[in-house]
Amino acid sequence: MRLNSKSRYAVMALADMASFIDNKPVSLRDISLRQSISLQYLEQIFLRLKKNNIVKSIRGVKGGYVLTKDASTLKLSEIFSALDENVKTTGCDNNSKKGCNGRSTKCITHNLWDELDVHINAFFENKKLEDLIKN
Amino acid sequence: MRLNSKSRYAVMALADMASFIDNKPVSLRDISLRQSISLQYLEQIFLRLKKNNIVKSIRGVKGGYVLTKDASTLKLSEIFSALDENVKTTGCDNNSKKGCNGRSTKCITHNLWDELDVHINAFFENKKLEDLIKN
DNA sequence: ATATACCCGACTAAAATAGTCAAGTTTACG
DNA sequence: CGTAAACTTGACTATTTTAGTCGGGTATAT
């Protein structure tokens, strides 16, 4: 059970941004250097973050990105959902016509996976970006 | 963030076994039919379960597998670790000489991923196989 | 004997992952 | 005004992982 690197890098990059109090735009180039993440990969990630209103961009020289919310209110769950990192640990699907494992009925473990998803989501719901930089 | 099908099938198959009270051996063929899981894939899975002492095998006609423990004491975490489904959500590694993201220091989000792993593991530690079949 | 059922290594198609590449557009600043 | 810094975007790709299959075993109850 692994988290993908896009999500991980997103959290790293946003935590990096949040650790500067002044709200001057932060360039991806700087984040790239400080966090050892490929610039072009960051571009992909920030495109998604921007589309989901987690950051806004300022173009041109001295431009960069700024957080749209305060780090104390930005939930990690928002970041993950921006990157389509949906916590859906199995293919068991309530909504499809077919049930679990291609059958018409719920599989024996169906409720378990639902509970697991809820459990993990709760973790991300309760964590704020600020929690990462307080230490 | 997805769970792999080996782990999911393992839990399904063991829950299937546990739902029969008599401790007669259950053949993989029967599990395969009841749970719609490929017989040969089940063989792979049960090899691991056997090596990790979660089931024992009885060969020959009327053979099959039986649980080595009671369903009320078998933790899901044991099943997952048998399948090398280690809950290690990121590559951030405490033990390697290199730190996170190939650097010498802990990355800014390192503690977060540790907490996440602990959070998920706790879920599997507290769930017993019996919990799945009680409903 | 023989059918049933476990045993086990090797292989593979398809999907996901983790990026790179290339070609832009916008804007601050000298 | 020119230019460099920085964002924008779509397409592409090598590698790895996943989710199995294939095929040839071995053990044993009847």
Side-chain angles (χ1 to χ4, degrees), chain A residues 37-98:
Chain A
I37 302 170
S38 139
L39 174 60
Q40 292 183 295
Y41 206 27
L42 277 175
E43 287 174 344
Q44 258 186 62
I45 292 165
F46 273 75
L47 187 65
R48 309 280 276 280
L49 293 175
K50 189 192 165 189
K51 277 185 180 156
N52 286 274
N53 261 311
I54 289 168
V55 295
K56 61 185 173 198
S57 67
I58 291 145
R59 302 186 75 159
V61 180
K62 297 234 176 192
Y65 289 91
V66 289
L67 293 169
T68 52
K69 286 188 178 191
D70 193 84
S72 63
T73 61
L74 180 58
K75 294 188 258 185
L76 294 195
S77 55
E78 297 176 64
I79 302 172
F80 285 91
S81 83
L83 291 159
D84 290 337
E85 174 72 354
N86 51 345
V87 176
K88 190 76 203 65
T89 51
T90 71
C92 283
D93 190 352
N94 280 321
N95 302 318
S96 76
K97 278 166 207 152
K98 292 204 148 194

Side-chain angles (χ1 to χ4, degrees), chain B residues 26-28 43 47 50 57-61 64-65:
Chain B
V26 180
S27 73
L28 292 189
E43 286 177 344
L47 188 65
K50 189 191 164 189
S57 68
I58 291 146
R59 303 186 73 158
V61 179
Y65 288 91

Side-chain angles (χ1 to χ4, degrees), chain B residues 46-116:
Chain B
F46 273 75
L47 188 65
R48 310 280 276 280
L49 294 175
K50 189 191 164 189
K51 277 185 182 154
N52 286 275
N53 261 313
I54 289 169
V55 295
K56 61 186 172 193
S57 68
I58 291 146
R59 303 186 73 158
V61 179
K62 297 232 173 194
Y65 288 91
V66 288
L67 293 170
T68 53
K69 286 188 177 189
D70 193 84
S72 62
T73 61
L74 180 58
K75 294 188 260 184
L76 295 195
S77 54
E78 297 176 65
I79 302 171
F80 284 92
S81 83
L83 291 159
D84 289 335
E85 173 73 354
N86 50 345
V87 176
K88 190 74 203 67
T89 52
T90 70
C92 283
D93 192 352
N94 280 321
N95 302 318
S96 75
K97 278 165 208 153
K98 293 204 146 194
C100 313
N101 223 16
R103 301 185 306 169
S104 57
T105 55
K106 271 194 189 179
C107 73
I108 193 171
T109 51
H110 188 104
N111 293 333
L112 174 70
W113 312 127
D114 275 355
E115 280 182 58
L116 175 58

Side-chain angles (χ1 to χ4, degrees), chain A residues 80-120:
Chain A
F80 285 91
S81 83
L83 291 159
D84 290 337
E85 174 72 354
N86 51 345
V87 176
K88 190 76 203 65
T89 51
T90 71
C92 283
D93 190 352
N94 280 321
N95 302 318
S96 76
K97 278 166 207 152
K98 292 204 148 194
C100 312
N101 222 16
R103 299 187 307 170
S104 57
T105 55
K106 272 195 190 178
C107 74
I108 194 171
T109 51
H110 188 105
N111 293 334
L112 175 71
W113 313 125
D114 276 354
E115 279 181 58
L116 174 58
D117 290 349
V118 168
H119 185 77
I120 297 173

